Amino acid sequence: MTNIPLAETLRPNKLSGFIGQEHLAGPKGIISRLLFSQRSPERSRTGKVGFPSLILWGPPGSGKTTLARIIAKELKRDYFEFSAVSASIKEIEKIMHKDSLFPPVVVIDEIHRYNKAQQAKLLPFVERGDITLIGSTTENPSFEVIAPLLSRTRVIILNRHTEGELKKITNKAIKYLKISLDKKALQFLLESSNGDARVAITVLEIATNLTINHQPLTIEVIEQALQHRQYTFDKKGEDYFNVISAFIKSMRASNVDAALYYLARMVEGGQDPLYIARRMVVFASEDIGMAQPTALVVANSVFQACQTIGFPECQENLAHGTVYLALAKKDRSAYDAYMSALEDVRRLGNLPVPLKVRNPVTKLMKEIGYGKDYEKYTEETLLPEKLKGKKYYSRKG
């Protein structure tokens, strides 16, 4: 009897056993080529190591930790693994001063969890080559890793496992557990795992424990083990911005189906309905504007409905509003006109307001010309002198 999770037990320790990420671990992959270069006779004779520090960026369960461990083993170096969630920089610094013929491989999982000051403390060790750093992260390094550290490392991108790759990994677990799945159950597991190998293996392990005498696993058992499909929607991560961006751009393109899909992604991922509704209110003025002014009324009504009714019922209001906004005619002229006026304000500063449109609230103001010759419905420009004749707004159609 062992308490080691199945995902850990099945983790490959050689590049030849690594499934997926062909662009990295395949025969012509960058990791394969880098490791091969370290085994060349010239490298061995001169003692030059030269393996670069890396940032492995990819979704959960894509093989970041596995790849890091394989690299360390292939390099035949001292290997230290830390998690930025629990390990302090001082703990990492302790191993950096140990005498070693070759620099140790230091793997830091979730390196984005370290703040800027903590990441900066790693810089001198990476720069001098005291360590070969392999940081792993699910977040976009451009936003989460400081620029000086990025410039001293190479970012390696791992992709979400394809269904075919996930099937190979799952079959390996099925063979190890000596179980069977019907085709529908296997397909459901592959789709529900969202490309995450760790999820697929763990669900199989739990599902096996829920059955008696190694009975074939059914969809019902897989559902019970899964509890809920895995949706990648970190509210502080890149996916958060990608999905809301796709939602807005789908409505802008009048693509109702895509807009509803991304709405469902956000709702199912736990996004605040009021956040979605607020973006819809902005969209109504920015992208629909004068083409269909009632869009703003509808968007505000959706926002109020979300406030009043709450989740989960307000999903219907969000869907209603999404379809309406996506199908509405689009006209950004009001938004574009305002942005053009804003640009002039920032460029030219506080230009003097023409006297005729100033408010003559005192006798002195009247005497010096405030409000003089003002006509309510004049066609004359009322812009400051420097902007006379300027046109910001031009309605389409």
Side-chain angles (χ1 to χ4, degrees), residues 35-289:
L35 288 173
F36 178 78
S37 71
Q38 302 306 300
R39 294 190 292 267
S40 69
E42 178 62 21
R43 294 272 183 177
S44 301
R45 186 177 63 79
T46 59
K48 293 179 180 179
V49 181
F51 196 89
S53 288
L54 308 173
I55 300 292
L56 304 180
W57 171 31
S62 57
K64 298 184 295 296
T65 301
T66 300
L67 197 56
R69 291 179 181 177
I70 289 173
I71 290 171
K73 186 173 182 180
E74 292 276 349
L75 291 175
K76 298 179 180 179
R77 311 261 197 88
D78 290 337
Y79 168 79
F80 302 91
E81 188 172 332
F82 300 93
S83 171
V85 174
S86 55
S88 67
I89 293 295
K90 286 185 178 179
E91 291 178 66
I92 299 173
E93 286 177 333
K94 286 179 183 177
I95 62 97
M96 294 180 185
H97 299 291
K98 292 183 177 180
D99 292 332
S100 180
L101 181 61
F102 297 111
V105 176
V106 177
V107 174
I108 303 179
D109 190 30
E110 297 192 79
I111 194 170
H112 63 275
R113 300 282 187 179
Y114 281 143
N115 60 37
K116 291 181 179 180
Q118 290 172 311
Q119 290 183 30
K121 288 184 178 179
L122 298 171
L123 283 174
F125 300 102
V126 175
E127 192 165 41
R128 292 195 302 262
D130 294 342
I131 63 169
T132 296
L133 172 68
I134 302 180
S136 69
T137 177
T138 55
E139 304 301 326
N140 190 327
S142 302
F143 306 133
E144 304 295 338
V145 179
I146 60 173
L149 191 56
L150 274 182
S151 71
R152 292 162 176 80
T153 57
R154 180 158 186 172
V155 176
I156 301 295
I157 301 173
L158 287 83
N159 301 317
R160 193 176 85 162
H161 284 301
T162 65
E163 192 172 293
E165 292 166 353
L166 204 58
K167 189 173 183 180
K168 289 180 182 179
I169 295 168
T170 302
N171 284 335
K172 186 178 177 182
I174 291 171
K175 186 176 180 180
Y176 181 87
L177 292 168
K178 298 178 181 178
I179 57 173
S180 62
L181 277 80
D182 60 48
K183 289 184 178 180
K184 290 183 179 179
L186 177 59
Q187 187 60 36
F188 178 74
L189 174 63
L190 296 177
E191 291 175 356
S192 301
S193 298
N194 202 32
D196 189 326
R198 190 184 300 106
V199 167
I201 294 172
T202 302
V203 168
L204 276 178
E205 186 175 21
I206 295 170
T208 302
N209 291 330
L210 294 175
T211 58
I212 302 172
N213 298 326
H214 294 285
Q215 293 176 342
L217 302 185
T218 62
I219 285 182
E220 290 72 26
V221 177
I222 296 295
E223 277 186 319
Q224 193 177 358
L226 188 65
Q227 290 297 304
H228 194 276
R229 289 182 183 231
Q230 301 299 305
Y231 296 101
T232 304
F233 194 72
D234 183 348
K235 293 179 185 177
K236 292 184 179 179
E238 186 189 11
D239 204 46
Y240 173 94
F241 300 102
N242 287 342
V243 176
I244 189 64
S245 174
F247 174 63
I248 296 298
K249 288 172 181 173
S250 297
M251 289 196 297
R252 184 175 294 146
S254 299
N255 190 326
V256 180
D257 298 313
L260 286 170
Y261 168 77
Y262 291 116
L263 171 65
R265 278 273 296 272
M266 288 188 288
V267 171
E268 191 65 17
Q271 180 59 276
D272 180 5
L274 290 178
Y275 171 82
I276 301 171
R278 279 194 294 271
R279 295 303 299 265
M280 292 169 73
V281 172
V282 173
F283 180 86
S285 288
E286 182 177 329
D287 284 279
I288 297 173

